[in-house]
Amino acid sequence: MDLQTTKNKKKKIIKKSKKTNLELLGNKKYIDLFCGIGGFHTALKELGCECVMASDIDKGCQDVYEMNYGMRPIGDIKKVNPEDLEDFDIICGGFPCQAFSNAGNKKTFEDDRGLLFDEIMRIVKVKNPKFLFLENVKHILKVGGGEVIKYILDKLDKYNYKVQIFNMSPHDYGVP
């Protein structure tokens, strides 16, 4: 098999895989919490999903998100009443990592930012979305002697979510 044939076969596999993903996630609505400049938005838009609300407290991130996606994220998620949200299928949340990282001195729940995971669960309790895509730093798996991840897993279990943990690094994909 020559190189061109191999490349063509890989393209077919990727296209088939993308179609499967579209069938699974296409036409789903989601909210984008702690959205930053829109990493989740870019990915889910490509899969055919619709963002119905975004939230980030950082004004600079709000500006970039609005410029990129035509919607301005609301500010403080603590002020959102879940009952007022449009129904949706997915919560995306890159909840703040400073409380769990070396940069934040691993203060975990002693840092108010470490409590923002509970804001996700406050919305889950009312809206019960089908999927949660949550992102954080690798230290979250071991910080606090493992108590942080245990807390998170217990909360997700309470609402009957099955958890898959992916340990990924942008370095594995050639991204800084």
Side-chain angles (χ1 to χ4, degrees):
M1 190 176 314
D2 66 9
L3 184 58
Q4 189 59 43
T5 304
T6 303
K7 284 182 182 179
N8 288 341
K9 285 191 177 206
K10 283 183 182 178
K11 283 182 184 176
K12 287 179 185 173
I13 291 169
I14 290 169
K15 284 181 182 174
K16 184 176 180 184
S17 174
K18 274 190 174 182
K19 185 176 180 186
T20 302
N21 288 336
L22 282 170
E23 289 170 358
L24 176 64
L25 291 175
N27 299 318
K28 300 280 190 268
K29 293 181 178 184
Y30 69 95
I31 62 173
D32 197 358
L33 306 180
F34 318 104
C35 63
I37 61 170
F40 278 121
H41 193 117
T42 297
L44 289 174
K45 183 178 179 181
E46 176 116 357
L47 293 171
C49 298
E50 176 190 358
C51 184
V52 295
M53 189 273 282
S55 173
D56 201 291
I57 202 163
D58 184 279
K59 300 288 186 215
C61 288
Q62 291 174 350
D63 292 343
V64 171
Y65 197 98
E66 184 175 25
M67 184 175 60
N68 287 338
Y69 306 109
M71 71 183 308
R72 183 145 189 102
I74 60 169
D76 191 351
I77 193 64
K78 293 180 203 171
K79 296 178 182 176
V80 171
N81 180 352
E83 308 243 346
D84 294 339
L85 295 174
E86 177 179 341
D87 287 339
F88 56 87
D89 306 289
I90 303 166
I91 289 180
C92 296
F95 57 105
C97 64
Q98 296 92 331
F100 313 113
S101 70
N102 288 330
N105 298 317
K106 301 179 194 171
K107 291 183 180 177
T108 67
F109 300 127
E110 293 174 22
D111 181 328
D112 288 344
R113 296 169 294 189
L115 302 173
L116 289 171
F117 169 77
D118 288 328
E119 294 302 313
I120 296 170
M121 298 314 295
R122 181 175 65 86
I123 295 169
V124 163
K125 182 178 180 180
V126 174
K127 300 306 269 186
N128 194 31
K130 295 175 184 138
F131 303 99
L132 305 176
F133 296 131
L134 307 177
E135 179 271 331
N136 213 280
V137 293
K138 69 179 179 178
H139 287 292
I140 203 162
L141 298 174
K142 59 184 177 182
V143 71
E147 289 300 311
V148 170
I149 194 66
K150 181 183 180 322
Y151 177 84
I152 290 169
L153 293 174
D154 287 347
K155 288 280 189 167
L156 293 169
D157 185 58
K158 177 179 177 180
Y159 293 102
N160 298 311
Y161 286 96
K162 294 180 179 23
V163 175
Q164 288 183 300
I165 296 175
F166 299 92
N167 191 355
M168 300 170 69
S169 171
H171 302 95
D172 296 335
Y173 300 92
V175 179

